[in-house]
Amino acid sequence: MANEITLYSRVNSDEDTDQVHSMEIGQFPNIDEYLIKLCDADQSIFVSEVLAEIGITEELVEARRNTWLEIESMNTLHWRLQDENVTWYHFGSQSEGTTTFWLDSDVDILIAQNDNRIIRDSNEWKQGFDNLLVHKQDDTSPGYCKLLAMDSQEPILMAEVEDDEMYEQGEDGKVYLKCEFLQEHVYANSGEEIHGPAWSRMSTERSIDEDYVDAYYCSHLPKEAMDWINRTNDKPWPNDDVRKRVIESGCFIVAVGHKQSKDVRTEFRMSTTLGERILMFDMNISQIQCLVLMKMLIKTIVNKQYTDAIKSFYCKTALFFVTEQYGKDMFRQDSILECTRKCLEWIFQCLKNGNNPHYMIYSLDMFEGRLDSNLREKVAECLKDIMDNPILAVLKIHFDDYGRKLYNRLGNSVNDISETKKSIRSKTGNFLSRAYVLWGLVEPSLYEDPWTIDRGRQIESNKEKLSRCELLHEQGDCFMQKATRRYIFMLHANLGMLLAAESIQKNCKLSESVFRSLKEGTNADAVSGRLKYATILIRLGDITGASVLLKEVETAYSNLALKSVSTCSGIVEYSPKTGLRDKTLTLLHTGEIYGHFCHCLIFVETLKPCFPNRWLDAIFRPMELDDQRSNTDDVMEYVSFDPLPYFYFVTLMLQKELNNPFKALTAFQMLEKCVSEEPLFHKDTALVLLSHSLEMDGQVEKAKIIYDEACCLRKRNTGFKSSHVRYNSKPV
C-alpha cells in the first residue's frame, strides 16, 4: 500500500461548529524510520493513546451512556404523564459511547408501544390487553414472525376480523395483525424520509440526524436465538451474569417484513437490540476503542470507494464474534491493532463466504439482498489491504484529525497540538449537556386544559401526576429516579401556586403543606421556582421572605453559568452558555445539571389570586380579550415570561413597596437593559412588563410606544399560536 495520506485540521468556531481543511502531503515523511523503532505492541499503545485524546476513554464513554440513558427515562416519564403507555429507548453509537465528534453518528430512537401484549404461548394471555401471539410459518425467514390476533375475552385465537384497519385474514384463515397498524402514525413531513419501519429527519434545532422506530416489546428472545444460548454456554464470553440478562431482555417486534417475503403486509422483524446493548455495555475500553477504530477505517477507506458497503453494525457484530471466541482479556491497550485485524478478518471471511450471520440469530444472513458476489470480492480486497498494514491504514483516518495526531505522536513531534484531556472533557460535557437539554427537557403539560377556570380540576390533575411520578421514582432505576426527581420539584412548584391561589381567593391562611410544596418547587431549576414563591410571598405581605428568595436568584445569575430553556413553543429552545466547562460531566453524573437551567414561567388565569393587584395588568393583560375581536384563534391560553426580565420586574415592584427609589430605579434600568440586549424567548411579554413599569411611573406615552412594539412583535409571531404569548390590540 502506498504511504500516502490526507491530513486534516479542524478549526473550532464554537463548541458545536467545526470546519475541515485538508492538506495533501503525498507521503508520510520519515514514517519508516518512526515505525522501525516500534514493535506492534508499542504501535498499538500509541493508537490507543490517540483514541483516548479524541474522547474514547472510560470516563467519557460512561458519561455518554449515562446521559442518554437518563434522556431515555426523561422521555418515558414525559409520555407516561400524558397517559401514553410507551417506553422510550436510545440505541446505537451515541448511547453506546462508540462514536466521536467527527463520526457524526445519528440518534436512533425506538418507542415501545406497551398497550399490546406480545406472547409466545397462549398461557401468557392476560385480560385487558390486546394479546398478540408470535407465530412462524415454515417459510418465514429467520428473525421474522407474524402476530396472530387473540380474542379479548378468553385465551383463544380471534375467529374473524373485528377491525379491518388493524387485522387481515390470511390464506390459512387465521387473523393477523397488519404491519401498517404499527406504522399508522409514521409519515414523512418536509425534510423527512421513511426507511422501512423508521422515519428519519435532520433535526434543525438539534443539528443531527434522527431515526425513529415504533415497536412492540416481547419478553422472550426469538426461538432462533436458542442457538446463541447454547453456543455461548462454554465460551469465554459472555459470562453467566451477562448471558442471563441478555436472555431476560427479550426482543422488539418491528413493523417490517423480509424483503423476499410474500406476506410482507403481515410480517414483522424480531430485533434483539436490547440484548446487544447489554453485550456492548459489558465491553472494556480496549474493545470500545477497537470498534471505534474499525468504524473510522471503514468510513475512511472502504465506504469511500464502495458507498455504504460495510455498515457499522457489521463491525459491532464482528467484535461480538471475536470476543466470544477469544474472550475479553485479549483486548488490551498493547493489542489494539491485532484485535482490530482479527475483527476485520471476520468481516473478510464473511465476504468470501457470501454469508454474514447475525450474532444473536445466526441463521439470519445480513448480506442477503445487499451485496452481490462481484461487490463482495472488491470490498474484501479493500479490507485485505488494511489488514496487511493496519498502522498505515490507520494513519489515513481523517476523522477527528486522528491520522495527523497519530503521525505526530509516532514521530514525537514537538509541534503536536493535540487536544488536552481537559479540553476534550469540556467539549464532551458541552455536547452532552446540549443533548440533555434538546432531547431530555421535554416538559409535561402541567395544565391539561389551560382554558379551564376550574382550579380544583387543575389541582387534582397535578396531584395525580405527582403521585404517578412518586410511584415511578420508587419503582425505577437510578436513571428514572433522577428524571422523576426533577419532575417532582416542577409539579410541587405548580401545585403550590394553584393551592395558594385557592386559599387566597377564599381568604384562608396558607397551610404548611402549601408552603412545603412551594419550598420543594424552588429546586425545580436555578431561579423559576424561587420567583414563583417570591411572587406569592409578596402577595401575602411577607417582604422579608420574598427578599431572601430574590437575593438567591440574584446570586444564581451572578455566580452560576445558567442556560435559559424554553419549551413553550412545543420544541425545546435554549440559550447555550459554555461557563460550566469541565464541571458539566460532574453535574450530569450527579443529576444536578438542572440546577443550572432557567425555565420560562408559565401562568394561567386561575393563578391570578397569587399576584398583587397592581401587577395583574402587567402579567395578564395579554390574555384580556377585546370585545370587538373576532379572530378567537388569535387568543392565548397562557402567558409565558423569561425569568430574567420577570426577576427585574418583581425586584422593581418590591423596592417600590419598600419605598426605596434608588434600588427601584436600578431594577428598572436593569429591566430596560435586559429587554433591549438579552436574547429572550418571550420578548413580547418582557416589553409588556417594561410598558407597565413606565406607566406606573407616569410615563404613559412612552409606555404606549413600548406596548405597541409588543403588539407588533406578537403579530409577527402568529405562527406560535398559544405556545408563545398572544396579545390583543387594546391600548394602554
Side-chain angles (χ1 to χ4, degrees):
M1 181 182 294
N3 296 348
E4 295 183 356
I5 191 172
T6 301
L7 294 187
Y8 291 80
S9 61
R10 175 164 286 196
V11 179
N12 296 332
S13 58
D14 55 43
E15 66 182 18
D16 295 315
T17 305
D18 296 309
Q19 293 183 350
V20 182
H21 304 277
S22 63
M23 176 180 65
E24 300 283 352
I25 67 170
Q27 59 180 341
F28 311 125
N30 306 315
I31 189 63
D32 293 336
E33 176 187 336
Y34 297 157
L35 294 179
I36 201 170
K37 300 176 183 177
L38 302 172
C39 64
D40 288 348
D42 290 336
Q43 291 178 15
S44 286
I45 290 172
F46 280 123
V47 167
S48 174
E49 288 176 346
V50 178
L51 283 166
E53 282 187 27
I54 64 173
I56 310 303
T57 66
E58 288 183 359
E59 179 197 23
L60 298 184
V61 167
E62 183 181 7
R64 284 180 180 271
R65 290 175 176 177
N66 290 345
T67 300
W68 286 106
L69 288 173
E70 187 174 349
I71 291 171
E72 277 187 2
S73 295
M74 292 160 73
N75 279 277
T76 296
L77 176 60
H78 167 78
W79 290 109
R80 296 279 179 89
L81 292 179
Q82 311 307 311
D83 295 320
E84 295 286 344
N85 188 16
V86 302
T87 306
W88 193 276
Y89 295 94
H90 284 278
F91 292 117
S93 300
Q94 291 287 359
S95 60
E96 291 171 355
T98 57
T99 189
T100 67
F101 287 106
W102 283 29
L103 280 176
D104 198 25
S105 302
D106 57 11
V107 174
D108 298 321
I109 299 164
L110 185 146
I111 305 165
Q113 307 289 336
N114 299 324
D115 286 331
N116 293 77
R117 181 174 171 79
I118 310 300
I119 60 178
R120 206 164 65 182
D121 190 284
S122 58
N123 293 330
E124 301 172 40
W125 179 91
K126 279 190 178 181
Q127 194 153 9
F129 290 88
D130 287 327
N131 294 271
L132 297 165
L133 181 66
V134 173
H135 176 68
K136 292 184 73 72
Q137 296 174 323
D138 293 338
D139 59 349
T140 304
S141 299
Y144 290 82
C145 70
K146 291 189 169 189
L147 297 175
L148 286 170
M150 297 197 72
D151 191 89
S152 60
Q153 300 301 317
E154 53 183 325
I156 60 173
L157 293 179
M158 187 182 291
E160 56 184 31
V161 174
E162 296 178 358
D163 182 350
D164 59 8
E165 291 186 2
M166 186 172 181
Y167 306 109
E168 74 173 41
Q169 201 149 18
E171 293 179 0
D172 56 3
K174 295 176 181 177
V175 178
Y176 295 97
L177 181 74
K178 292 181 180 180
C179 270
E180 63 189 49
F181 177 74
L182 183 54
Q183 295 176 317
E184 63 178 354
H185 62 285
V186 177
Y187 57 92
N189 291 319
S190 176
E192 299 173 352
E193 298 178 356
I194 294 179
H195 300 285
W199 63 273
S200 306
R201 69 172 182 177
M202 175 64 183
S203 174
T204 53
E205 67 271 13
R206 296 166 178 160
S207 302
I208 198 167
D209 287 328
E210 300 172 335
D211 292 334
Y212 291 82
V213 175
D214 281 274
Y216 296 131
Y217 173 73
C218 176
S219 61
H220 303 284
L221 283 178
K223 285 185 177 180
E224 296 94 329
M226 282 302 299
D227 173 73
W228 174 82
I229 296 172
N230 297 329
R231 188 182 78 229
T232 58
N233 192 39
D234 58 353
K235 292 294 178 68
W237 181 86
N239 63 35
D240 290 342
D241 176 63
V242 174
R243 286 177 76 252
K244 182 175 181 291
R245 286 189 286 125
V246 171
I247 293 168
E248 293 173 348
S249 68
C251 68
F252 294 109
I253 307 296
V254 181
V256 61
H258 192 277
K259 291 180 180 179
Q260 298 174 346
S261 172
K262 63 180 182 180
D263 297 320
V264 68
R265 285 169 52 83
T266 56
E267 196 170 79
F268 294 78
R269 187 172 70 212
M270 306 178 80
S271 170
T272 56
T273 315
L274 203 52
E276 291 157 20
R277 181 163 79 176
I278 293 170
L279 294 173
M280 278 305 307
F281 281 18
D282 187 54
M283 299 288 182
N284 64 36
I285 189 59
S286 294
Q287 289 170 291
I288 299 300
Q289 289 187 341
C290 178
L291 178 55
V292 172
L293 192 63
M294 270 196 291
K295 288 181 181 181
M296 292 196 294
L297 284 168
I298 294 298
K299 283 177 176 282
T300 299
I301 299 172
V302 180
N303 288 350
K304 186 176 181 180
Q305 298 180 59
Y306 308 105
T307 305
D308 204 29
I310 301 297
K311 294 184 174 294
S312 295
F313 187 70
Y314 300 168
C315 298
K316 183 163 70 173
T317 301
L319 179 64
F320 287 157
F321 276 112
V322 172
T323 305
E324 177 189 306
Q325 183 176 356
Y326 295 98
K328 291 172 60 176
D329 292 343
M330 182 187 76
F331 292 83
R332 305 180 309 274
Q333 186 183 35
D334 61 359
S335 66
I336 292 292
L337 287 175
E338 179 60 25
C339 292
T340 302
R341 184 190 287 114
K342 285 187 180 296
C343 291
L344 293 176
E345 282 176 358
W346 172 269
I347 301 175
F348 176 81
Q349 289 301 326
C350 289
L351 289 164
K352 287 295 187 181
N353 297 335
N355 178 46
N356 186 11
H358 187 279
Y359 180 66
M360 301 282 293
I361 306 173
Y362 195 86
S363 54
L364 174 61
D365 178 14
M366 296 186 293
F367 280 164
E368 189 173 8
R370 288 205 70 246
L371 303 177
D372 60 36
S373 58
N374 184 48
L375 182 56
R376 288 199 306 270
E377 191 65 31
K378 291 179 179 178
V379 174
E381 286 302 312
C382 196
L383 281 181
K384 188 175 183 301
D385 288 342
I386 297 174
M387 293 185 293
D388 286 345
N389 204 332
I391 188 66
L392 290 181
V394 169
L395 283 165
K396 283 178 172 285
I397 296 173
H398 62 270
F399 293 101
D400 297 85
D401 214 4
Y402 183 86
R404 183 193 59 80
K405 290 178 180 180
L406 178 61
Y407 176 72
N408 287 340
R409 180 63 68 89
L410 290 170
N412 195 26
S413 172
V414 295
N415 296 318
D416 188 5
I417 56 170
S418 299
E419 292 175 292
T420 63
K421 181 179 179 181
K422 183 176 180 180
S423 174
I424 196 66
R425 287 183 81 256
S426 175
K427 189 175 180 181
T428 303
N430 286 332
F431 170 79
L432 292 178
S433 67
R434 183 172 181 269
Y436 183 93
V437 171
L438 294 179
W439 275 278
L441 295 188
V442 185
E443 306 301 342
S445 175
L446 300 181
Y447 305 99
E448 292 180 358
D449 181 8
W451 284 99
T452 183
I453 57 173
D454 187 346
R455 191 184 300 112
R457 187 171 133 198
Q458 291 175 342
I459 290 171
E460 289 307 310
S461 173
N462 275 262
K463 283 183 176 180
E464 191 275 331
K465 282 183 169 63
L466 184 58
S467 297
R468 200 180 305 179
C469 242
E470 289 170 341
L471 181 62
L472 287 168
H473 182 87
E474 181 182 334
Q475 297 175 343
D477 58 16
C478 62
F479 301 106
M480 180 58 77
Q481 287 173 354
K482 283 202 286 187
T484 50
R485 184 172 63 173
R486 187 179 71 89
Y487 273 70
I488 286 170
F489 291 148
M490 290 172 56
L491 287 162
H492 270 299
N494 203 57
L495 184 59
M497 285 203 82
L498 287 167
L499 291 170
E502 186 83 350
S503 297
I504 292 170
Q505 189 170 50
K506 294 178 178 178
N507 293 319
C508 297
K509 184 179 179 181
L510 269 63
S511 67
E512 286 299 316
S513 63
V514 175
F515 282 111
R516 193 160 51 247
S517 280
L518 291 168
K519 177 66 176 174
E520 286 286 297
T522 61
N523 298 309
D525 69 352
V527 300
S528 299
R530 289 174 173 81
L531 289 171
K532 292 176 181 178
Y533 195 2
T535 297
I536 292 171
L537 291 181
I538 293 174
R539 174 66 175 84
L540 298 174
D542 184 358
I543 304 302
T544 302
S547 298
V548 170
L549 288 167
L550 292 177
K551 185 64 179 176
E552 291 177 2
V553 173
E554 182 181 12
T555 302
Y557 274 116
S558 300
N559 298 345
L560 299 178
L562 301 182
K563 296 175 182 283
S564 297
V565 179
S566 172
T567 59
C568 306
S569 63
I571 60 173
V572 180
E573 304 169 274
Y574 85 120
S575 176
K577 299 284 179 68
T578 58
L580 298 180
R581 299 194 182 278
D582 55 339
K583 296 179 183 177
T584 308
L585 292 175
T586 301
L587 293 170
L588 285 167
H589 178 69
T590 60
E592 296 174 358
I593 186 74
Y594 55 79
H596 290 261
F597 295 146
C598 305
H599 287 272
C600 296
L601 296 105
I602 298 175
F603 301 129
V604 294
E605 190 170 354
T606 50
L607 296 178
K608 278 187 175 181
C610 294
F611 297 86
N613 291 334
R614 295 180 66 194
W615 299 18
L616 291 177
D617 198 34
I619 304 301
F620 293 100
R621 177 188 292 166
M623 294 181 68
E624 296 172 2
L625 293 175
D626 188 336
D627 292 338
Q628 298 180 351
R629 193 174 185 84
S630 59
N631 186 6
T632 57
D633 204 30
D634 214 23
V635 178
M636 64 174 290
E637 297 173 2
Y638 49 77
V639 63
S640 301
F641 291 93
D642 289 274
L644 187 58
Y646 186 80
F647 162 64
Y648 291 133
F649 175 79
V650 174
T651 302
L652 169 62
M653 295 297 104
L654 181 67
Q655 296 305 325
K656 283 182 173 290
E657 198 73 28
L658 293 171
N659 197 25
N660 192 330
F662 177 76
K663 290 187 176 181
L665 177 61
T666 301
F668 173 78
Q669 290 171 340
M670 294 303 295
L671 173 61
E672 195 171 34
K673 182 179 180 181
C674 173
V675 172
S676 62
E677 297 180 6
E678 289 290 330
L680 301 175
F681 298 112
H682 305 287
K683 187 170 182 177
D684 34 17
T685 49
L687 286 166
V688 173
L689 294 178
L690 180 60
S691 170
H692 185 79
S693 304
L694 287 165
E695 186 179 12
M696 291 182 65
D697 197 44
Q699 302 182 56
V700 177
E701 288 303 316
K702 189 174 181 181
K704 186 179 185 306
I705 292 171
I706 297 295
Y707 184 71
D708 287 344
E709 183 181 347
C711 292
C712 291
L713 184 60
R714 189 276 303 175
K715 289 176 182 177
R716 290 199 298 270
N717 291 330
T718 54
F720 286 118
K721 301 198 178 206
S722 59
S723 296
H724 280 236
V725 68
R726 315 291 291 176
Y727 288 92
N728 59 36
S729 55
K730 189 174 181 179
V732 176

